[in-house]
Amino acid sequence: MSKAEQRAQMSNGAGFIAALDQSGGSTPKALALYGVEASDYSSDEEMFGEIQKMRARIILADDFTKDKVIGAILFERTLGEEIDGRKVADYLWSVKGIVPFLKIDKGLEEKANGVQVMKPIPGLAETLAKADGVFGTKERSVIHEANAEGIAAVVSQQFDVGREVVRAGMIPIIEPEVNIHSETKAAAEDILKVELLKNLDQLDDDQDVMLKLTIPSQANLYDEVADHPRVLRVVALSGGYSTEQACNLLGQNGKMIASFSRALTEGLAKQQSDAEFNAALGGNINKIFSASA
């Protein structure tokens, strides 16, 4: 299958993107929710080994197919791991028909002007060059307040990185998350929409992107963004909402599909039998698929 087929699936496919990109900072919390405590591992190697077992269990589940999951975002370390003798990105596409993406950001700077911009991403060109079989990338910033200067800085940085990804022949998922607990969330989203449209208008005709956004306080706020000719798809992050909350809110936004992490893995536990695990995961997948459709 070709990049053109992957692009068509991401542009028009029915379903959602699974966010399986827990990094060093978020892995301990994700493992604790999965029933693996810090006392169960004694090194980073063992910790990453446990999260890879969780990811593999999800990917191998019967309901984790392209019929409902059209893409998956991976952590850089995961690219070197294997499932059934294949590199994870290759397994996702070749066996499951699911388009692989790579998380490329290295975390966030301290809060300034009401936002957290991305830390520098050293060696990005090399990372992109060796990301075999990966269709696109994802990079995250966070907006905490309706601060116009801060939001403009977040979006400008995101698009600068996005252009480098495009030059490497990949599609970037630009993710300026708005904190769901922000007291100025709706106002921040209004500013963000303006900045997104301004930066999208500055892209060349061959520079296409995807966007990963917090589900807006005003339903369908980002429809104009989704309709922009440079936007392949707008996806939604769960942002700390429960699976039910996230799905209910997403269902009110007709031009967004899900890209959930914590909401996808809610209720999963290492101690479950395969039947129990698959039933819980299948239930989450069905809810998220329905909300995305």
Side-chain angles (χ1 to χ4, degrees):
M1 291 190 180
S2 67
K3 286 267 187 183
E5 288 172 294
Q6 292 181 326
R7 183 186 175 94
Q9 183 158 310
M10 295 321 305
S11 298
N12 308 309
F16 66 93
I17 299 175
L20 302 176
D21 58 330
Q22 298 87 356
S23 59
S26 57
T27 292
K29 184 177 179 182
L31 283 174
L33 291 169
Y34 184 55
V36 179
E37 300 300 331
S39 57
D40 294 331
Y41 48 86
S42 56
S43 66
D44 280 355
E45 285 296 318
E46 290 182 7
M47 177 185 76
F48 285 121
E50 288 291 344
I51 200 74
Q52 174 57 22
K53 289 176 192 173
M54 183 185 91
R55 288 192 187 107
R57 198 178 186 192
I58 290 169
I59 291 169
L60 288 166
D62 291 343
D63 286 335
F64 197 85
T65 71
K66 66 177 181 180
D67 294 335
K68 293 178 180 173
V69 184
I70 59 173
I73 304 169
L74 304 174
F75 179 45
E76 186 175 348
R77 189 184 181 102
T78 311
L79 294 186
E81 304 281 358
E82 294 186 351
I83 295 177
D84 286 354
R86 290 176 179 261
K87 296 294 187 186
V88 176
D90 176 47
Y91 185 90
L92 277 169
W93 180 246
S94 299
V95 178
K96 290 277 186 166
I98 294 170
V99 178
F101 290 82
L102 172 65
K103 168 188 162 71
I104 57 171
D105 67 82
K106 301 297 183 184
L108 303 169
E109 298 283 13
E110 293 297 316
K111 184 175 169 183
N113 288 331
V115 304
Q116 288 178 277
V117 298
M118 294 181 286
K119 289 181 177 177
I121 309 175
L124 177 57
E126 293 82 357
T127 299
L128 297 175
K130 66 183 183 183
D132 291 338
V134 174
F135 175 74
T137 63
K138 191 214 73 164
E139 48 270 8
R140 171 179 174 262
S141 317
V142 178
I143 295 164
H144 297 282
E145 299 167 17
N147 181 306
E149 183 181 349
I151 293 171
V154 159
V155 177
S156 176
Q157 182 194 41
Q158 282 276 353
F159 275 79
D160 285 345
V161 173
R163 285 184 177 88
E164 185 169 353
V165 172
V166 170
R167 286 194 292 272
M170 303 164 81
I171 298 291
I173 300 178
I174 287 168
E175 183 184 10
E177 174 180 348
V178 178
N179 185 337
I180 63 169
H181 303 297
S182 170
E183 293 181 0
T184 54
K185 178 175 179 287
E189 288 164 347
D190 287 337
I191 299 169
L192 175 60
K193 177 184 174 181
V194 171
E195 288 297 324
L196 289 173
L197 290 169
K198 182 172 79 175
N199 281 267
L200 287 167
D201 285 343
Q202 293 169 359
L203 293 176
D204 295 336
D205 288 348
D206 59 350
Q207 294 179 316
D208 293 340
V209 302
M210 294 172 61
L211 295 163
K212 182 168 178 175
L213 306 173
T214 304
I215 305 169
S217 297
Q218 178 188 329
N220 298 312
L221 177 71
Y222 297 122
D223 280 6
E224 188 179 353
V225 175
D227 289 335
H228 194 283
R230 298 279 65 78
V231 175
L232 230 59
R233 205 79 182 252
V234 176
V235 304
L237 57 100
S238 49
Y241 290 124
S242 69
T243 307
E244 186 173 353
Q245 282 178 305
C247 288
N248 286 342
L249 291 168
L250 178 61
Q252 300 169 24
N253 291 270
K255 294 187 178 180
M256 298 177 84
I257 63 170
S259 177
F260 293 169
S261 174
R262 201 199 50 73
L264 174 66
T265 59
E266 183 176 280
L268 305 184
K270 181 179 180 179
Q271 297 76 12
Q272 290 168 329
S273 68
D274 285 346
E276 291 169 334
F277 179 91
N278 290 341
L281 178 63
N284 287 348
I285 287 173
N286 287 335
K287 286 178 192 171
I288 297 168
F289 174 78
S290 295
S292 295

